[in-house]
Amino acid sequence: MKKQTNQRRSSKRSNDSDSKESKGRKFDKKPGAKKDFKEPNRRGRENSRHEAPRKEQPEETPTTNAEDFAIGFYGVSEALEAKRGNKLFVQEDLSGRRIDDVKKLATKHSVPMQFAPKSKLDLLSDHGNHQGVVLGVTPYEYLTIEGLLEQTTSEAPFYLILDSIEDPHNFGSILRTADATGVDGVIIPKHRAVGITSVVSKTSTGAVEHVPVARVTNLAQAIRTLKDKQFWVYGTDMNGTDYRHWNVAGPTALIIGNEGKGISPGLKKEVDEMLTIPMTGHVQSLNASVAAGVMMYEVFRKRH
Ligand SMILES: C[S@@+](CC[C@H](N)C(=O)[O-])C[C@H]1O[C@@H](n2cnc3c(N)ncnc32)[C@H](O)[C@@H]1O
């Protein structure tokens, strides 16, 4: 297996999607391998905190930690459905169908509710646009890279690797498009990057509950693991091959770089090919989530 991988790595990939090399290559999964990870929400993630008999929360405002709350109608509803909710705060002077829908969902999932002034919801959501609903959630359970590979069922998975995205709106927006285009997983670094916060969850309009996210301490190591599993790994910058010639056949991973610094030089060394979205105007680059969206839809367009 290793030898075959090295052979493949030594030759530059043809952009002809019918090339012999890419045809029929299977995603190398070990059937029946032992699971060493917890499945994410909506795919059977168990949550012992959620299942334990509920105690009413103390009345004081909990410590505000963006990873502990979901906000807004979509973010809250999806987190409730994913059984991550532990307490719903509803703005006391608001009513309406969407608020009622969220309340019904909380009741359905036996999540306690508290009516509170807007000032308290503002505080809990760190002044995010909460739309009158804030949900205390159990922390998101990230997958490991092995866990992500293990649970991926596509023959030719497509993963996004985010090299230190810092803006939660960019991350949320990327997750939203990832869900829309059927991306099999998103890989993020543990340090110097945004994790799954309330703003990410809201911007993703709940997609965060559907797209598996793996968090790793070393992206370069994660990429080497993917290469060992026969993935083609692509980077994105302004000096690569025109993305319209991208051969998306087979297991594929695509790296999107940091908003300011782009992809780190260390990771560029690991990629099979760099890709570029041509630009004819005056600005230097696209927004990271816009570039990610273009690339995700390119895979979708070519594969569907
Ligand atoms: C705002 S850009 C970073 C710009 C950074 N100064 C650089 O030189 O790479 C953030 C990320 O979006 C992606 N990106 C933006 N515009 C792109 C383009 N035209 N082609 C390919 N990728 C692009 C790349 O992944 C890039 O790392």
Side-chain angles (χ1 to χ4, degrees):
M1 174 68 66
K2 184 77 180 167
K3 198 170 170 201
Q4 189 190 353
T5 307
N6 291 340
Q7 262 171 14
R8 181 168 77 81
R9 298 281 150 213
S10 66
S11 62
K12 194 159 168 79
R13 186 180 201 188
S14 160
N15 283 321
D16 170 6
S17 57
D18 289 332
S19 77
K20 261 193 206 156
E21 199 185 6
S22 60
K23 247 188 189 169
R25 185 152 38 78
K26 286 259 195 246
F27 173 46
D28 178 27
K29 276 184 43 147
K30 287 189 203 128
K34 197 166 160 252
K35 285 195 177 200
D36 61 348
F37 65 97
K38 292 189 176 153
E39 300 214 324
N41 324 308
R42 311 280 299 178
R43 291 170 201 229
R45 177 162 65 201
E46 295 299 329
N47 188 323
S48 54
R49 243 175 94 186
H50 184 77
E51 286 175 347
R54 286 182 186 289
K55 284 191 190 138
E56 194 52 55
Q57 306 282 311
E59 279 306 300
E60 309 87 66
T61 304
T63 317
T64 302
N65 176 350
E67 301 207 11
D68 292 341
F69 293 93
I71 63 174
F73 298 122
Y74 286 115
V76 166
S77 301
E78 294 290 349
L80 282 168
E81 289 285 25
K83 301 186 175 17
R84 284 213 297 139
N86 52 39
K87 182 164 183 176
L88 177 67
F89 296 86
V90 180
Q91 192 173 317
E92 60 195 6
D93 55 354
L94 283 188
S95 58
R97 189 181 54 77
R98 296 175 88 185
I99 296 259
D100 287 345
D101 288 346
V102 172
K103 285 183 346 198
K104 271 186 213 152
L105 213 50
T107 307
K108 178 180 151 192
H109 291 287
S110 313
V111 172
M113 235 179 290
Q114 184 186 318
F115 294 91
K118 181 173 181 297
S119 56
K120 179 164 182 174
L121 275 75
D122 288 345
L123 200 67
L124 292 175
S125 65
D126 201 14
H127 299 274
N129 181 12
H130 53 69
Q131 300 174 309
V133 284
V134 173
L135 181 72
V137 292
T138 51
Y140 186 89
E141 288 178 29
Y142 296 97
L143 294 166
T144 60
I145 188 78
E146 292 79 16
L148 177 62
L149 284 162
E150 187 67 37
Q151 76 158 54
T152 301
T153 53
S154 317
E155 273 226 339
F158 175 44
Y159 293 156
L160 266 193
I161 299 170
L162 306 182
D163 182 12
S164 308
I165 291 293
E166 292 176 63
D167 180 337
H169 295 98
N170 280 342
F171 186 21
S173 168
I174 288 170
L175 287 171
R176 186 175 180 172
T177 312
D179 179 58
T181 55
V183 168
D184 294 285
V186 174
I187 300 165
I188 62 170
K190 191 166 187 181
H191 304 292
R192 291 179 288 281
V194 66
I196 292 176
T197 65
S198 56
V199 176
V200 171
S201 155
K202 177 160 194 294
T203 315
S204 82
T205 59
V208 69
E209 308 295 346
H210 301 280
V211 181
V213 178
R215 195 164 67 164
V216 301
T217 45
N218 186 331
L219 277 184
Q221 183 54 50
I223 289 171
R224 288 194 281 273
T225 302
L226 294 180
K227 283 176 165 180
D228 285 346
K229 295 281 181 189
Q230 309 297 297
F231 273 74
W232 293 100
V233 179
Y234 297 89
T236 44
D237 70 4
M238 304 314 299
N239 305 307
T241 309
D242 187 324
Y243 83 110
R244 289 169 291 186
H245 302 302
W246 186 13
N247 177 355
V248 301
T252 300
L254 177 78
I255 312 173
I256 297 292
N258 171 270
E259 291 90 342
K261 291 180 267 183
I263 298 179
S264 66
L267 286 197
K268 278 192 184 177
K269 282 192 208 143
E270 303 285 343
V271 307
D272 291 303
E273 190 170 14
M274 295 299 293
L275 299 166
T276 297
I277 304 163
M279 297 171 56
T280 57
H282 300 91
V283 294
Q284 304 258 313
S285 62
L286 299 171
N287 165 277
S289 68
V290 172
V294 170
M295 301 303 275
M296 286 186 264
Y297 264 100
E298 183 66 0
V299 176
F300 184 84
R301 186 180 72 79
K302 285 182 167 150
R303 289 188 173 184
H304 295 79

Coordinates of all heavy atoms in Angstrom, one line a residue, residues 177-243:
T177 N -21.9 26.1 3.2 CA -21.7 25.6 1.8 C -21.3 24.2 1.8 O -21.6 23.4 0.9 CB -20.7 26.5 1.1 OG1 -21.0 27.9 1.3 CG2 -20.7 26.2 -0.4
A178 N -20.5 23.8 2.8 CA -20.0 22.4 2.9 C -21.2 21.5 3.0 O -21.3 20.4 2.3 CB -19.1 22.2 4.0
D179 N -22.2 21.9 3.8 CA -23.4 21.1 4.0 C -24.2 21.0 2.6 O -24.6 20.0 2.2 CB -24.3 21.6 5.1 CG -25.5 20.9 5.3 OD1 -25.5 19.6 5.5 OD2 -26.6 21.4 5.1
A180 N -24.3 22.2 2.0 CA -25.1 22.3 0.8 C -24.5 21.4 -0.4 O -25.2 20.9 -1.2 CB -25.1 23.8 0.3
T181 N -23.2 21.3 -0.4 CA -22.5 20.6 -1.5 C -22.1 19.2 -1.1 O -21.4 18.5 -1.9 CB -21.3 21.4 -2.0 OG1 -20.4 21.6 -0.9 CG2 -21.6 22.7 -2.6
G182 N -22.4 18.7 0.1 CA -22.2 17.3 0.5 C -20.7 17.1 0.8 O -20.2 15.9 0.6
V183 N -20.0 18.0 1.3 CA -18.6 17.8 1.7 C -18.6 16.8 2.8 O -19.4 16.8 3.7 CB -17.9 19.1 2.2 CG1 -16.6 18.9 2.8 CG2 -17.8 20.1 1.0
D184 N -17.7 15.8 2.7 CA -17.7 14.7 3.7 C -17.1 15.0 5.1 O -17.3 14.3 6.0 CB -16.9 13.5 3.1 CG -17.6 13.0 1.9 OD1 -18.6 12.3 2.1 OD2 -17.2 13.3 0.8
G185 N -16.3 16.1 5.1 CA -15.7 16.5 6.4 C -14.9 17.7 6.3 O -14.4 18.0 5.2
V186 N -14.7 18.4 7.4 CA -13.9 19.6 7.5 C -12.9 19.4 8.6 O -13.2 18.9 9.7 CB -14.8 20.9 7.8 CG1 -13.9 22.1 8.0 CG2 -15.8 21.1 6.6
I187 N -11.6 19.7 8.3 CA -10.5 19.5 9.2 C -10.0 20.8 9.6 O -9.6 21.6 8.8 CB -9.4 18.6 8.6 CG1 -10.1 17.2 8.2 CG2 -8.3 18.3 9.6 CD1 -9.2 16.4 7.2
I188 N -9.9 21.0 10.9 CA -9.4 22.3 11.4 C -8.2 22.1 12.4 O -8.2 21.0 13.1 CB -10.5 23.2 12.1 CG1 -11.1 22.5 13.3 CG2 -11.5 23.6 11.1 CD1 -12.0 23.4 14.1
P189 N -7.3 23.0 12.6 CA -6.3 22.9 13.6 C -6.8 23.3 15.0 O -7.7 24.1 15.1 CB -5.2 23.8 13.1 CG -5.9 24.9 12.4 CD -7.2 24.3 11.8
K190 N -6.2 22.7 16.0 CA -6.7 23.0 17.4 C -6.2 24.4 17.8 O -6.9 25.1 18.6 CB -6.1 22.0 18.3 CG -6.6 22.0 19.7 CD -6.3 20.7 20.4 CE -7.0 20.6 21.8 NZ -6.6 19.4 22.5
H191 N -5.1 24.8 17.4 CA -4.5 26.1 17.8 C -4.6 27.2 16.8 O -4.5 26.9 15.6 CB -3.1 25.9 18.3 CG -3.0 24.8 19.4 ND1 -3.6 24.9 20.6 CD2 -2.5 23.5 19.3 CE1 -3.4 23.8 21.3 NE2 -2.7 23.0 20.5
R192 N -4.6 28.4 17.2 CA -4.6 29.6 16.3 C -5.6 29.6 15.2 O -5.4 29.9 14.1 CB -3.2 29.8 15.7 CG -2.1 30.2 16.8 CD -0.8 30.3 16.2 NE -0.2 29.0 15.8 CZ 0.4 28.2 16.7 NH1 0.4 28.5 18.0 NH2 0.9 27.1 16.3
A193 N -6.8 29.1 15.6 CA -7.9 29.0 14.6 C -9.2 29.1 15.4 O -9.3 28.6 16.5 CB -7.8 27.8 13.7
V194 N -10.3 29.5 14.7 CA -11.6 29.6 15.4 C -12.1 28.1 15.5 O -12.0 27.4 14.5 CB -12.5 30.6 14.7 CG1 -12.9 30.1 13.3 CG2 -13.8 30.8 15.6
G195 N -12.7 27.8 16.6 CA -13.4 26.5 16.8 C -14.9 26.7 16.5 O -15.3 27.7 15.9
I196 N -15.7 25.8 17.0 CA -17.1 25.9 16.8 C -17.8 26.7 17.9 O -18.0 26.3 19.0 CB -17.8 24.6 16.6 CG1 -17.3 24.0 15.3 CG2 -19.3 24.7 16.6 CD1 -17.7 22.6 15.0
T197 N -18.0 28.0 17.6 CA -18.5 28.9 18.6 C -20.0 29.2 18.2 O -20.5 28.8 17.2 CB -17.8 30.3 18.6 OG1 -18.0 30.9 17.3 CG2 -16.3 30.1 18.8
S198 N -20.6 30.0 19.1 CA -22.0 30.4 18.8 C -22.2 31.2 17.5 O -23.1 31.0 16.7 CB -22.6 31.2 20.0 OG -21.8 32.4 20.2
V199 N -21.2 32.0 17.2 CA -21.3 32.8 15.9 C -21.1 31.8 14.7 O -21.8 31.9 13.7 CB -20.2 33.9 15.9 CG1 -20.2 34.6 14.6 CG2 -20.5 34.9 17.1
V200 N -20.2 30.9 14.9 CA -20.0 29.9 13.8 C -21.2 29.1 13.6 O -21.7 29.0 12.4 CB -18.8 28.9 14.1 CG1 -18.7 27.8 13.1 CG2 -17.5 29.7 14.2
S201 N -21.8 28.7 14.7 CA -23.0 27.9 14.6 C -24.2 28.7 13.9 O -24.9 28.2 13.0 CB -23.4 27.4 16.0 OG -24.8 27.2 16.1
K202 N -24.3 30.0 14.3 CA -25.4 30.8 13.7 C -25.1 31.1 12.3 O -26.0 31.0 11.4 CB -25.5 32.1 14.5 CG -26.6 33.0 13.9 CD -27.1 34.0 14.9 CE -28.4 34.6 14.3 NZ -28.2 35.4 13.1
T203 N -23.9 31.4 11.9 CA -23.6 31.8 10.5 C -23.7 30.5 9.7 O -24.1 30.6 8.5 CB -22.1 32.3 10.4 OG1 -21.9 33.2 11.4 CG2 -21.9 32.9 9.1
S204 N -23.5 29.4 10.2 CA -23.7 28.1 9.4 C -25.1 27.8 9.3 O -25.5 26.8 8.6 CB -22.9 27.0 10.1 OG -23.7 26.4 11.1
T205 N -26.0 28.5 9.9 CA -27.5 28.3 10.0 C -27.7 26.8 10.4 O -28.6 26.2 9.8 CB -28.2 28.6 8.7 OG1 -27.6 27.8 7.6 CG2 -28.1 30.1 8.3
G206 N -27.0 26.3 11.3 CA -27.2 25.0 11.8 C -26.4 23.9 11.1 O -26.4 22.7 11.5
A207 N -25.7 24.2 10.0 CA -25.0 23.2 9.2 C -24.0 22.5 10.1 O -23.6 21.4 9.8 CB -24.4 23.9 8.0
V208 N -23.5 23.2 11.1 CA -22.5 22.7 12.0 C -22.9 21.3 12.6 O -22.1 20.5 13.0 CB -22.2 23.7 13.1 CG1 -23.3 23.9 14.0 CG2 -20.9 23.4 13.8
E209 N -24.2 21.1 12.7 CA -24.7 19.9 13.3 C -24.7 18.8 12.3 O -25.0 17.6 12.6 CB -26.1 20.1 13.9 CG -26.3 21.3 14.8 CD -25.4 21.1 16.1 OE1 -25.0 20.0 16.4 OE2 -25.3 22.1 16.8
H210 N -24.4 19.1 11.0 CA -24.5 18.1 9.9 C -23.2 17.7 9.3 O -23.1 16.7 8.7 CB -25.5 18.5 8.9 CG -26.9 18.8 9.4 ND1 -27.8 17.8 9.6 CD2 -27.5 19.9 9.8 CE1 -28.9 18.3 10.2 NE2 -28.8 19.6 10.3
V211 N -22.3 18.7 9.3 CA -21.0 18.5 8.7 C -20.0 18.0 9.7 O -19.7 18.7 10.7 CB -20.5 19.8 8.0 CG1 -19.1 19.5 7.3 CG2 -21.5 20.3 7.0
P212 N -19.4 16.8 9.5 CA -18.5 16.3 10.5 C -17.2 17.2 10.5 O -16.7 17.5 9.5 CB -18.1 14.9 10.0 CG -19.2 14.5 9.0 CD -19.7 15.8 8.5
V213 N -16.8 17.6 11.7 CA -15.6 18.4 11.8 C -14.6 17.7 12.7 O -14.8 17.3 13.8 CB -16.0 19.8 12.5 CG1 -14.7 20.6 12.7 CG2 -17.0 20.5 11.7
A214 N -13.4 17.5 12.1 CA -12.3 16.9 12.9 C -11.3 18.1 13.3 O -11.1 19.0 12.5 CB -11.5 15.9 12.0
R215 N -10.8 18.0 14.5 CA -9.9 19.0 15.0 C -8.6 18.3 15.3 O -8.6 17.3 16.1 CB -10.4 19.8 16.2 CG -9.6 21.0 16.4 CD -10.4 22.0 17.3 NE -10.5 21.5 18.7 CZ -10.8 22.2 19.7 NH1 -11.1 23.5 19.6 NH2 -11.0 21.7 20.9
V216 N -7.5 18.8 14.8 CA -6.2 18.1 14.9 C -5.1 19.0 15.5 O -5.2 20.2 15.3 CB -5.7 17.5 13.6 CG1 -6.7 16.5 13.0 CG2 -5.4 18.6 12.6
T217 N -4.1 18.5 16.1 CA -3.0 19.3 16.6 C -2.0 19.7 15.6 O -1.3 20.7 15.6 CB -2.3 18.7 17.8 OG1 -2.1 17.3 17.5 CG2 -3.1 18.7 19.1
N218 N -1.9 18.8 14.5 CA -0.9 19.0 13.5 C -1.5 18.8 12.1 O -1.7 17.6 11.7 CB 0.3 18.1 13.8 CG 1.4 18.3 12.9 OD1 1.3 18.7 11.8 ND2 2.6 18.0 13.4
L219 N -1.7 19.8 11.4 CA -2.4 19.7 10.1 C -1.5 18.9 9.1 O -2.0 18.1 8.3 CB -2.7 21.1 9.5 CG -4.0 21.7 9.9 CD1 -4.2 23.0 9.1 CD2 -5.2 20.8 9.7
A220 N -0.2 19.2 9.2 CA 0.8 18.5 8.2 C 0.7 17.0 8.4 O 0.6 16.2 7.5 CB 2.2 19.0 8.4
Q221 N 0.6 16.6 9.7 CA 0.5 15.1 10.0 C -0.8 14.6 9.5 O -0.9 13.5 8.9 CB 0.6 15.0 11.5 CG 0.6 13.5 12.0 CD 1.6 12.6 11.3 OE1 2.8 13.0 11.3 NE2 1.2 11.5 10.7
A222 N -1.9 15.4 9.7 CA -3.2 15.0 9.2 C -3.2 14.8 7.7 O -3.8 13.8 7.1 CB -4.3 16.0 9.6
I223 N -2.5 15.7 7.0 CA -2.4 15.5 5.5 C -1.6 14.3 5.1 O -2.0 13.5 4.2 CB -1.7 16.8 4.9 CG1 -2.7 18.0 5.0 CG2 -1.3 16.6 3.5 CD1 -2.1 19.3 4.7
R224 N -0.6 14.0 5.9 CA 0.2 12.7 5.6 C -0.7 11.5 5.8 O -0.6 10.5 5.0 CB 1.5 12.7 6.4 CG 2.5 13.7 5.9 CD 3.9 13.5 6.5 NE 4.0 13.9 7.9 CZ 4.3 15.2 8.2 NH1 4.6 16.1 7.3 NH2 4.4 15.5 9.5
T225 N -1.5 11.6 6.8 CA -2.5 10.4 7.1 C -3.4 10.3 5.9 O -3.6 9.2 5.4 CB -3.3 10.7 8.4 OG1 -2.4 10.9 9.4 CG2 -4.3 9.6 8.6
L226 N -3.9 11.4 5.4 CA -4.8 11.3 4.2 C -4.1 10.8 3.0 O -4.6 10.0 2.2 CB -5.4 12.7 3.9 CG -6.3 13.3 5.0 CD1 -6.8 14.7 4.5 CD2 -7.5 12.4 5.2
K227 N -2.8 11.2 2.8 CA -2.1 10.7 1.6 C -1.9 9.2 1.7 O -2.0 8.5 0.7 CB -0.7 11.4 1.5 CG -0.8 12.8 1.0 CD 0.6 13.4 1.0 CE 0.7 14.7 0.2 NZ 2.1 15.2 0.3
D228 N -1.6 8.7 2.9 CA -1.5 7.3 3.1 C -2.8 6.6 2.8 O -2.8 5.4 2.5 CB -1.1 7.0 4.6 CG 0.3 7.3 4.8 OD1 1.1 7.5 3.8 OD2 0.7 7.3 6.0
K229 N -3.9 7.3 2.8 CA -5.2 6.7 2.5 C -5.6 7.0 1.1 O -6.8 7.1 0.7 CB -6.3 7.3 3.5 CG -6.1 6.9 4.9 CD -6.6 5.5 5.1 CE -6.4 5.0 6.6 NZ -6.7 3.6 6.7
Q230 N -4.6 7.4 0.3 CA -4.8 7.6 -1.2 C -5.5 8.9 -1.6 O -6.1 9.0 -2.6 CB -5.6 6.4 -1.8 CG -5.0 5.0 -1.5 CD -3.6 4.8 -2.0 OE1 -3.4 4.8 -3.2 NE2 -2.7 4.7 -1.2
F231 N -5.5 9.8 -0.7 CA -6.1 11.1 -1.0 C -5.2 12.0 -1.9 O -4.0 11.9 -1.7 CB -6.4 11.9 0.3 CG -7.7 11.6 0.9 CD1 -7.9 10.5 1.6 CD2 -8.8 12.6 0.9 CE1 -9.1 10.2 2.2 CE2 -10.0 12.3 1.5 CZ -10.1 11.1 2.2
W232 N -5.7 12.7 -2.8 CA -5.0 13.8 -3.5 C -5.2 15.0 -2.7 O -6.4 15.3 -2.3 CB -5.6 14.0 -4.9 CG -5.4 12.8 -5.8 CD1 -6.3 11.8 -6.1 CD2 -4.2 12.5 -6.5 NE1 -5.7 10.9 -7.0 CE2 -4.4 11.3 -7.3 CE3 -3.0 13.2 -6.6 CZ2 -3.5 10.8 -8.1 CZ3 -2.0 12.6 -7.5 CH2 -2.3 11.4 -8.2
V233 N -4.2 15.7 -2.4 CA -4.3 16.9 -1.6 C -3.9 18.2 -2.4 O -2.9 18.2 -3.0 CB -3.4 16.8 -0.4 CG1 -3.5 18.0 0.5 CG2 -3.7 15.5 0.5
Y234 N -4.8 19.1 -2.4 CA -4.7 20.3 -3.2 C -4.6 21.6 -2.3 O -5.3 21.6 -1.2 CB -5.8 20.5 -4.1 CG -5.9 19.4 -5.2 CD1 -6.6 18.3 -4.9 CD2 -5.2 19.5 -6.4 CE1 -6.7 17.2 -5.8 CE2 -5.3 18.5 -7.3 CZ -6.0 17.3 -7.0 OH -6.1 16.3 -7.9
G235 N -3.8 22.5 -2.7 CA -3.8 23.8 -2.0 C -4.4 24.9 -2.8 O -4.7 24.6 -4.0
T236 N -4.6 26.1 -2.3 CA -5.1 27.2 -3.1 C -4.3 28.4 -2.8 O -4.0 28.7 -1.6 CB -6.6 27.4 -2.7 OG1 -6.7 27.4 -1.3 CG2 -7.5 26.4 -3.3
D237 N -3.9 29.1 -3.9 CA -3.3 30.4 -3.8 C -3.3 31.1 -5.1 O -4.1 30.6 -6.0 CB -1.8 30.3 -3.2 CG -0.8 29.7 -4.2 OD1 -1.2 29.4 -5.4 OD2 0.3 29.5 -3.8
M238 N -2.6 32.1 -5.3 CA -2.7 32.9 -6.5 C -1.8 32.4 -7.6 O -1.8 33.0 -8.7 CB -2.4 34.4 -6.2 CG -3.3 35.0 -5.1 SD -5.0 34.6 -5.3 CE -5.4 35.3 -6.9
N239 N -1.0 31.4 -7.4 CA 0.0 31.0 -8.4 C -0.1 29.5 -8.8 O 0.9 28.9 -9.2 CB 1.4 31.2 -7.8 CG 1.6 32.6 -7.3 OD1 1.4 33.5 -8.1 ND2 2.0 32.7 -6.1
G240 N -1.3 29.0 -8.8 CA -1.5 27.6 -9.1 C -2.1 27.4 -10.5 O -2.2 28.3 -11.3
T241 N -2.5 26.1 -10.7 CA -3.2 25.8 -11.9 C -4.6 26.3 -11.9 O -5.2 26.4 -10.8 CB -3.3 24.2 -12.0 OG1 -2.0 23.7 -11.8 CG2 -3.9 23.7 -13.3
D242 N -5.1 26.7 -13.0 CA -6.5 27.2 -13.1 C -7.4 26.1 -12.6 O -7.4 25.0 -13.0 CB -6.9 27.5 -14.6 CG -8.2 28.2 -14.7 OD1 -9.1 27.8 -14.0 OD2 -8.3 29.0 -15.7
Y243 N -8.2 26.5 -11.6 CA -9.1 25.5 -10.9 C -10.1 24.8 -11.8 O -10.6 23.7 -11.5 CB -9.8 26.1 -9.7 CG -11.1 26.8 -10.1 CD1 -12.3 26.3 -9.7 CD2 -11.1 28.0 -10.8 CE1 -13.5 27.0 -10.1 CE2 -12.2 28.7 -11.2 CZ -13.4 28.1 -10.8 OH -14.6 28.8 -11.2

